[in-house]
Amino acid sequence: MAFESLSDRLQATMKKIRGRGKVSEADVKQMTREIRLALLEADVNFKVVKSFVKRVQDRAVGQEVLKSLTPGQQVIKVVQEELTELMGGEQTKLNLALKPPTVLLFVGLQGAGKTTSAAKLANYIRKAHNKKPLMIAADIYRPAAIKQLQTLGGQLNIPVFSLGDQVNPVEIVRQGMEQAKSEHHDLVLIDTAGRLHIDEGLMDELEQIKAVSNPDEVFLVVDAMTGQDAVNVATAFNERLDLTGVIMTKLDGDTRGGAALSIRSVTGTPIKFVGMGEKMDALEPFHPDRMASRILG
Ligand code: GDP
C-alpha cells in the first residue's frame, strides 16, 4: 500500500512521544529530525520538508504545548494538523457550473490514468450529483484511446462523443460541446491526449481546447508512482493551463507518497480526487485530514 514505509516510520516516532508526561525541547528536536528523514526518504520535495519541519518545531516548542497536561499528545496533534495543512487543509470540493453544463477537462501525460479517471469521475458525479454526462474522446494520438473510452462508456452506460482519429481535437471538442448542449447533458468530460513528455505542441493544443470548452475544472491527472516527476509535470501544466485540481492515480500501489505530500505546496493546486485501483468505482474524493490520520495511524 501507499505510504507504508513513511507511515511505519512516523508511527514509530510518534509512539516514542505519545504517552509522555514531560516533553523537552530536545525531545522535540529529536522527533523533528526523525520526521525530516522519514519525509525525505518518502521522496517529499526538500523545500516542502524544510518548511514543514520548521512549522512543527515552532509550534511544538510553544508554551501551550510543552506546558500542557498532555504534552506528548499535543505534539502529535501539531504533527497531524500540519500534515493535513500540507495536503491542502480542508477538502476541496468539485466546481459545479451555475449554468449547465459543468465541463471537466482532463490533461496529463500518457499513461497517467486520464481516460480511466474521466470515466470513473463521470460515473461518480452522475451518482453523487444526479447528472447526465457526456464524455468527449479527444485523444486522437494514442492508439486505442478512443476505443478505450467507448468501452468504458459502454460498461457504465455513459455516451461518448467521437469523430474518430482523423479530425483535429479542437474541432472534436467544439462539436462535442454543441452536441452536449443540444442533447441537454449537464456534465461534459473531455479526455485529451497525453504525450510521453511535455511539449509545446501538446500545450498549444490544450490551450485551444480549453478556450473552446471553457471548463469549470482543469484536472491534471498524475500517477502517484512517479514521485517528484509528478510535481514537475504539475508545475509545467499549471503555468500554461491554470489547473484547478489534481487527480492523483495509483495510490493503491506502493508509492512512497512524495508526490501526494508535495504537489499542493509546490503548485498551489489541490488534490481533489484519488484513484485507488483499476475498477470503475475505485475513485475517492481526497480528504487531507483522513489521509494524515491514515499515515500517522
Ligand atoms: P491515459 O493514457 O492517461 O489515458 O491512461 P489510462 O487511463 O489508459 O490508464 C493507464 C493505466 O493505468 C491503465 O491500465 C489503468 O487501468 C491504470 N490506472 C489508472 N488509474 C489507476 C489507479 O488509480 N490505480 C491503478 N492500480 N491503476 C490505474
Side-chain angles (χ1 to χ4, degrees):
M1 273 312 271
F3 302 112
E4 198 164 356
S5 156
L6 174 67
S7 196
D8 285 351
R9 292 187 60 163
L10 291 181
Q11 285 178 26
T13 299
M14 298 301 122
K15 202 170 160 202
K16 279 187 243 167
I17 214 156
R18 176 163 283 130
R20 293 278 191 84
K22 238 183 171 178
V23 176
S24 67
E25 276 197 47
D27 294 330
V28 170
K29 260 222 163 93
Q30 173 65 22
M31 175 191 78
T32 48
R33 204 176 295 131
E34 287 176 22
I35 292 176
R36 183 174 164 278
L37 279 176
L39 291 173
L40 286 173
E41 267 179 35
D43 193 29
V44 179
N45 175 287
F46 75 96
K47 281 189 195 151
V48 172
V49 174
K50 200 170 162 195
S51 64
F52 177 81
V53 166
K54 182 167 184 330
R55 277 196 309 278
V56 169
Q57 177 116 22
D58 288 351
R59 285 187 60 194
V61 296
Q63 289 299 321
E64 80 280 17
V65 174
L66 296 190
K67 296 251 165 69
S68 72
L69 288 174
T70 53
Q73 283 170 33
Q74 295 303 319
V75 168
I76 288 167
K77 190 161 159 265
V78 166
V79 176
Q80 162 102 27
E81 285 172 5
E82 289 297 333
L83 202 53
T84 303
E85 214 39 55
L86 188 71
M87 290 185 282
E90 291 277 297
Q91 185 209 357
T92 322
K93 294 259 162 59
L94 188 68
N95 281 333
L96 292 173
L98 292 175
K99 184 170 164 284
T102 293
V103 179
L104 313 178
L105 182 62
F106 294 77
V107 302
L109 298 184
Q110 190 168 317
K114 280 181 305 301
T115 307
T116 314
S117 299
K120 282 176 175 173
L121 202 58
N123 186 38
Y124 174 86
I125 301 173
R126 177 175 58 179
K127 280 190 207 147
H129 300 281
N130 195 21
K131 298 277 181 203
K132 185 184 169 203
L134 175 71
M135 301 195 284
I136 299 179
D139 180 356
I140 63 166
Y141 304 105
R142 179 164 67 91
I146 297 175
K147 188 96 200 29
Q148 185 189 350
L149 194 64
Q150 285 167 335
T151 304
L152 295 173
Q155 278 171 23
L156 298 168
N157 205 11
I158 294 174
V160 174
F161 179 88
S162 161
L163 293 175
D165 61 5
Q166 299 300 313
V167 177
N168 179 298
V170 182
E171 182 57 24
I172 295 174
V173 171
R174 206 185 55 72
Q175 291 193 31
M177 292 300 300
E178 277 175 9
Q179 173 147 335
K181 279 170 199 156
S182 68
E183 291 181 353
H184 304 290
H185 290 278
D186 51 9
L187 177 65
V188 178
L189 305 99
I190 306 170
D191 184 26
T192 66
R195 308 285 157 88
L196 292 176
H197 302 284
I198 297 161
D199 64 58
E200 277 301 304
L202 167 68
M203 288 299 180
D204 284 347
E205 189 178 288
L206 289 173
E207 277 182 343
Q208 291 175 44
I209 288 176
K210 186 179 171 189
V212 297
S213 60
N214 191 23
D216 300 285
E217 295 271 15
V218 181
F219 282 133
L220 176 72
V221 181
V222 290
D223 177 343
M225 307 286 284
T226 58
Q228 288 314 298
D229 259 358
V231 179
N232 298 335
V233 166
T235 306
F237 274 85
N238 195 31
E239 276 168 10
R240 291 289 289 269
L241 294 167
D242 285 331
L243 302 173
T244 61
V246 167
I247 297 178
M248 189 156 285
T249 63
K250 309 185 196 181
L251 267 189
D252 51 311
D254 59 355
T255 167
R256 286 182 287 162
L261 289 168
S262 313
I263 211 156
R264 166 67 199 244
S265 296
V266 176
T267 66
T269 310
I271 300 176
K272 290 201 178 176
F273 291 91
V274 289
M276 301 295 293
E278 298 198 67
K279 295 223 179 82
M280 281 298 108
D281 59 359
L283 180 92
E284 299 172 6
F286 181 67
H287 297 276
D289 53 344
R290 288 187 207 163
M291 188 56 82
S293 302
R294 214 183 97 187
I295 293 170
L296 292 174

